[in-house]
Amino acid sequence: MLQVQERLKSLKSLVCEIETERKRIEPNINNMIRLTKMASEDKSPALNHKLKTLYKIGLQDALQEETLIRQALSKIQDIRNIRNERRIQARNAGNKETIRRGALMKMLQISAQTLPLFVSKPGEKIPHLCGSIPADTSYIAKPGDMVAALVKSEEGEENWILAEVVQYVSLTSKYEVDDIDEEQKDRHVLSRRRIVPLPLMRANPETDRQALFPKGTTVMALYPQTTCFYKAIINQLPQTANEEYEVLFEDPTYPDGFSPPLFVAQRYPQQQHTQSISHGSAMVNAAANSGIASSYASPNVAGTNTATITSHTFSAQSVHTKEEPFTDNFHQDDSF
């Protein structure tokens, strides 16, 4: 607790410093705007010289503010890492908290939306596990990391599911992972080729667009409100750091073979792999056994064979309404 408190104090100090810095540079910004408007009519050398001087000062002010913001974000990440370590320690001690399905879905969404944002400096190389940049071939996921895991069900079907790393056993070169779905409580021992580490950072579309999947790319993406990955195509890219991908899930129940557009956070589309990917109707698989088929599936779903439906769907009991807020038993821990 002391570690977190110390970092919170430092964070508060940095936030205050950022606010002070912004108030200090505001007059200079206003002057730049005013003189820039004047320069459209007044082409005098004196005005241009003054404007250049203000721009140089503004550039230095912006760099100073950027430094402070990066320091504050670093403190936030430190706090998240500490909380995550404590969560893992509690789990290893047998004190894992049971989280209701609706709260889990919300937590996973918040976790994806609040991943650290990578904003490159001029000439800086985009690191592995940022946006669409895959992990290095020698990378070993750490305990607590989120991964896509290819697992086999009791019926013999293989599906990519969302899982959390428990440990990597170097002696056998295998991972132990827990199904993130609390209702399953399954632990799997899998080889490295059946594990795909998920991004540790979001890419900034405005500065690092090359770290996003191009439009038309075939991926495996986490279907909304489930913990399973299905084959999909990137339809639209995020335009800002807070936006999500628009994807089309493969679904033969539609005339063109794809679902209507759905939004998926940057963390959850992954490169298509040669191992099994959940095919068929993603919407049927995700919704037909959940009581929400009318919301997600096409009108002709009723006659569809649902034998391939996995147990990782959003159950009808967990559909939250205004009378049943998702905040129950949910402590807003975004450590996933």
Side-chain angles (χ1 to χ4, degrees):
M1 190 66 179
L2 183 60
Q3 287 179 309
V4 173
Q5 291 299 325
E6 289 175 350
R7 284 163 177 78
L8 284 172
K9 288 180 182 179
S10 298
L11 179 59
K12 180 181 178 181
S13 176
L14 284 166
V15 170
C16 292
E17 195 172 346
I18 291 169
E19 184 62 24
T20 301
E21 187 70 9
R22 286 182 174 176
K23 289 180 179 178
R24 182 186 69 79
I25 66 178
E26 188 174 358
N28 187 57
I29 294 174
N30 290 334
N31 284 334
M32 279 193 289
I33 295 172
R34 179 175 59 82
L35 292 182
T36 299
K37 291 179 180 178
M38 291 175 58
S40 61
E41 299 178 357
D42 184 354
K43 307 295 184 181
S44 65
L47 182 61
N48 285 336
H49 176 73
K50 188 172 183 180
L51 194 53
K52 286 181 180 179
T53 301
L54 288 176
Y55 275 128
K56 288 180 180 178
I57 295 172
L59 179 59
Q60 292 301 315
D61 289 342
L63 291 174
Q64 173 62 19
E65 185 178 358
E66 178 191 359
T67 299
L68 291 172
I69 292 173
R70 288 184 183 275
Q71 289 176 2
L73 291 174
S74 178
K75 293 295 181 185
I76 292 172
Q77 188 58 32
D78 284 348
I79 294 170
R80 290 183 61 155
N81 290 339
I82 292 170
R83 292 177 64 187
N84 195 35
E85 289 172 6
R86 290 179 179 172
R87 183 177 61 82
I88 293 171
Q89 290 172 359
R91 179 192 64 190
N92 294 339
N95 299 323
K96 184 177 180 180
E97 181 181 0
T98 300
I99 304 172
R100 290 167 56 206
R101 178 65 68 88
L104 174 64
M105 295 300 123
K106 186 65 178 179
M107 188 182 298
L108 294 175
Q109 184 71 8
I110 292 174
S111 172
Q113 293 171 342
T114 57
L115 274 183
L117 178 67
F118 177 78
V119 181
S120 64
K121 298 178 181 178
E124 186 177 6
K125 183 180 178 181
I126 300 174
H128 293 284
L129 291 178
C130 173
S132 66
I133 308 299
D136 184 82
T137 53
S138 61
Y139 179 80
I140 302 297
K142 302 175 180 62
D145 282 358
M146 300 297 290
V147 297
L150 182 61
V151 302
K152 185 176 290 188
S153 69
E154 294 179 357
E155 293 76 24
E157 291 184 351
E158 290 190 326
N159 290 290
W160 285 96
I161 68 166
L162 187 61
E164 181 181 6
V165 173
V166 177
Q167 66 173 336
Y168 176 75
V169 183
S170 56
L171 190 63
T172 60
S173 297
K174 291 188 176 182
Y175 283 100
E176 287 184 18
V177 301
D178 279 345
D179 189 334
I180 201 65
D181 190 330
E182 291 282 337
E183 294 181 2
Q184 306 309 311
K185 298 181 180 178
D186 292 333
R187 178 162 294 183
H188 305 274
V189 179
L190 304 169
S191 62
R192 289 178 63 180
R193 68 184 181 86
R194 287 176 168 264
I195 295 292
V196 179
L198 298 187
L200 299 177
M201 290 180 286
R202 290 175 294 144
N204 183 11
E206 298 174 68
T207 59
D208 304 298
R209 199 166 184 80
Q210 65 272 33
L212 297 174
F213 287 110
K215 182 176 180 178
T217 303
T218 299
V219 297
M220 55 180 195
L222 193 72
Y223 193 88
Q225 302 300 326
T226 78
T227 57
C228 267
F229 292 84
Y230 296 95
K231 187 177 180 181
I233 291 179
I234 300 295
N235 192 47
Q236 293 292 340
L237 279 64
Q239 301 301 310
T240 68
N242 294 323
E243 292 184 5
E244 301 178 330
Y245 284 103
E246 183 183 282
V247 305
L248 307 175
F249 284 93
E250 187 179 75
D251 192 336
T253 63
Y254 284 88
D256 60 358
F258 292 94
S259 70
L262 291 171
F263 291 99
V264 176
Q266 267 198 50
R267 189 180 204 179
Y268 297 131
Q270 292 300 304
Q271 287 183 337
Q272 182 180 3
H273 287 257
T274 55
Q275 292 97 330
S276 298
I277 296 180
S278 301
H279 289 282
S281 173
M283 286 191 170
V284 173
N285 289 347
N289 201 35
S290 68
I292 54 173
S294 59
S295 299
Y296 286 126
S298 61
N300 60 343
V301 162
T304 304
N305 182 358
T306 59
T308 59
I309 294 172
T310 73
S311 58
H312 294 77
T313 53
F314 190 21
S315 63
Q317 293 90 325
S318 64
V319 177
H320 289 268
T321 64
K322 292 181 180 179
E323 289 73 27
E324 185 189 7
F326 65 77
T327 50
D328 296 347
N329 298 325
F330 178 39
H331 49 76
Q332 296 285 344
D333 189 348
D334 56 4
S335 301
F336 282 113

